[in-house]
Amino acid sequence: EEKHQPKNLKIVPSNMSINQRFKKFFIDASRTTCFNPSDVFASVGVAKNKFRSMAQQDAQELLRYLLDALNEEDNPAGHRPVQNESRGEQISKLKLTYIEHIFGCYLASRLHCQKCDHISWTLDLCLDLNIEILRDKNIETINIPYDKPIPEGEIKHPGLVYPSKNIKIPKLLYSFFSPEILTKQNYFHCEKCKMSQAVKKLYLKDPPRVLTVVIKRFTNGLIKNNSHVEFPFEMSLDGVSITPG
């Protein structure tokens, strides 16, 4: 019995860029109820050989390759300004492209040393959130600020506010944005006192118009977690955002 071999996708040569193909796809889709995304899919295969065949692939990985390709073409490597801030806060990248303005957000990480009270922030531009299922944390005894302005001495961005404790965090995002204690086991050392105990809390700054959430179902032992996950198409991010409004 012959084994089925996935056929390679035929890639039609084109002078069109991936952004031009993507735009054409949406224009064509708006004119009919039946449309074919194969041209856009083929353009991803030009950059990534693994998508040239019709073998089964991860949908999230395809989306990420597509967004990265659109992003890089819209803003070629080497032309991105990097903004460095003082007062313990660094911004890795600035939002420049339309992909970043639609899907991008800043994942703000707040580290509070429990020995010397030093607070530092890091803001990283990301296009998706990787969420673990049923991630256990002891959060009841962790003291974190709520419902008050964030001092500019902590982060050099005026007008930011800690979310209210009364705002319910969506169940899907609860474990990801819950505070956790960092110790030597997490390879943490305070940049000021060099001690190894701090509270880490994640927030969103400038939440995206479209939030992409990747559910991490596999553990390090490649064991799949088949727990049911509620995935709403719309959700409020007020409980995890430090950007008012």
Side-chain angles (χ1 to χ4, degrees), residues 25-223:
F25 165 71
F26 278 104
I27 293 175
D28 293 343
S30 66
R31 295 172 177 170
T32 178
T33 56
C34 181
F35 48 88
N36 188 350
S38 59
D39 195 39
V40 175
F41 180 65
S43 65
V44 178
V46 173
K48 296 294 179 181
N49 291 336
K50 64 184 296 183
F51 291 108
R52 292 190 180 186
S53 75
M54 299 305 292
Q56 181 176 334
Q57 301 290 350
D58 185 77
Q60 181 274 333
E61 195 174 2
L62 172 62
L63 174 63
R64 189 56 189 267
Y65 279 132
L66 174 61
L67 294 182
D68 285 346
L70 292 168
N71 215 25
E72 290 173 7
E73 189 177 270
D74 198 32
N75 184 62
H79 292 77
R80 173 182 297 283
V82 177
Q83 178 175 331
N84 294 317
E85 299 286 353
S86 59
R87 305 185 194 178
E89 178 244 342
Q90 294 181 338
I91 292 183
S92 57
K93 296 178 180 178
L94 301 177
K95 288 185 181 181
L96 290 182
T97 68
Y98 71 94
I99 290 294
E100 291 167 353
H101 281 286
I102 295 174
F103 295 93
C105 62
Y106 289 106
L107 189 60
S109 175
R110 179 185 188 267
L111 285 178
H112 182 189
C113 179
Q114 300 299 283
K115 297 297 183 181
C116 69
D117 279 335
H118 176 66
I119 297 174
S120 62
W121 289 81
T122 302
L123 278 71
D124 293 305
L125 181 61
C126 60
L127 297 179
D128 54 32
L129 300 181
N130 289 273
I131 306 294
E132 294 181 14
I133 300 178
L134 303 177
R135 182 181 175 189
D136 295 327
K137 292 181 182 178
N138 179 19
I139 65 172
E140 300 300 327
T141 59
I142 299 178
N143 184 28
I144 58 173
Y146 285 106
D147 199 17
K148 64 178 183 179
I150 302 177
E152 287 190 53
E154 283 190 22
I155 181 171
K156 193 180 178 182
H157 282 271
L160 299 181
V161 178
Y162 288 113
S164 172
K165 192 174 185 178
N166 297 323
I167 300 177
K168 187 176 181 180
I169 299 176
K171 185 178 180 180
L172 177 66
L173 306 178
Y174 184 80
S175 65
F176 186 83
F177 288 99
S178 296
E180 63 178 317
I181 295 178
L182 301 184
T183 61
K184 288 182 179 179
Q185 283 70 31
N186 305 102
Y187 302 100
F188 169 76
H189 295 280
C190 175
E191 60 186 10
K192 184 176 180 181
C193 71
K194 310 303 180 184
M195 299 302 289
S196 301
Q197 185 172 340
V199 172
K200 178 182 178 181
K201 180 74 170 69
L202 297 176
Y203 300 93
L204 288 183
K205 180 181 178 294
D206 301 335
R209 299 179 185 177
V210 178
L211 177 66
T212 304
V213 177
V214 181
I215 305 298
K216 298 173 65 176
R217 289 191 175 273
F218 289 92
T219 64
N220 293 334
L222 298 181
I223 300 175

